[in-house]
Amino acid sequence: MKKHLLYSLLAAFTFISSCSKDTTLAETNLAQKMIEDKAWFLDYSQTGTLTKTYVGQATYYINFLKNGATQDSDGLNGTYSVEKISGQLQIHVQATTSNGNAIEYIYTIVSAGASNLILSYTLSGKTTQLYYTSKR
């Protein structure tokens, strides 16, 4: 009887500990799969109550490639990684401008879907949300 109870407790402990595994890797992999190999076109941005729309205009786009490279309509080329920092998924980009200057920026992923992407960043205490759609 004691042996059976010991096995039951061991099985329960194994089940409970396996359910509490860190999901960070799964979350970052899923987020990367959602954004990669698509052209993301900026539809509008929102800073506080100010909304700027770019729908119907030649606008900014960014590509996050499967191999970790990124390129955008401003001529920036570089690499990116998806990371989870302080409980938030982020895209870290290290790029080079068309005249050779290094630039680094970080976006927080607010939402990522098959054809919609919402990113945010904070500059000088003001948070801006960027709303993208994928045409692919």
Side-chain angles (χ1 to χ4, degrees):
M1 179 72 171
K2 287 183 182 181
K3 200 175 198 180
H4 179 66
L5 180 60
L6 179 63
Y7 287 136
S8 296
L9 289 173
L10 183 59
F13 177 74
T14 302
F15 177 74
I16 290 169
S17 65
S18 68
C19 291
S20 63
K21 287 183 181 174
D22 184 18
T23 60
T24 299
L25 183 60
E27 288 178 272
T28 57
N29 286 342
L30 178 59
Q32 182 159 344
K33 293 282 185 216
M34 296 299 285
I35 67 170
E36 70 186 13
D37 286 338
K38 297 176 185 174
W40 293 101
F41 292 87
L42 182 62
D43 290 331
Y44 62 98
S45 67
Q46 186 172 29
T47 306
T49 58
L50 177 63
T51 300
K52 293 181 183 177
T53 184
Y54 305 98
V55 175
Q57 301 175 31
T59 187
Y60 176 80
Y61 70 85
I62 189 166
N63 291 314
F64 298 106
L65 304 176
K66 190 174 189 171
N67 66 1
T70 184
Q71 50 193 199
D72 69 20
S73 58
D74 289 340
L76 297 176
N77 293 300
T79 60
Y80 76 97
S81 61
V82 177
E83 301 173 14
K84 189 170 185 181
I85 308 293
S86 300
Q88 295 183 316
L89 287 171
Q90 297 178 341
I91 301 172
H92 292 235
V93 177
Q94 294 181 325
T96 305
T97 63
S98 56
N99 61 1
N101 294 325
I103 186 170
E104 181 176 4
Y105 55 93
I106 300 170
Y107 290 125
T108 298
I109 301 173
V110 177
S111 176
S115 60
N116 295 297
L117 177 64
I118 304 171
L119 303 176
S120 73
Y121 66 90
T122 302
L123 184 62
S124 300
K126 293 184 180 183
T127 299
T128 298
Q129 288 195 332
L130 305 168
Y131 295 80
Y132 293 88
T133 54
S134 173
K135 308 301 186 211
R136 192 188 296 179

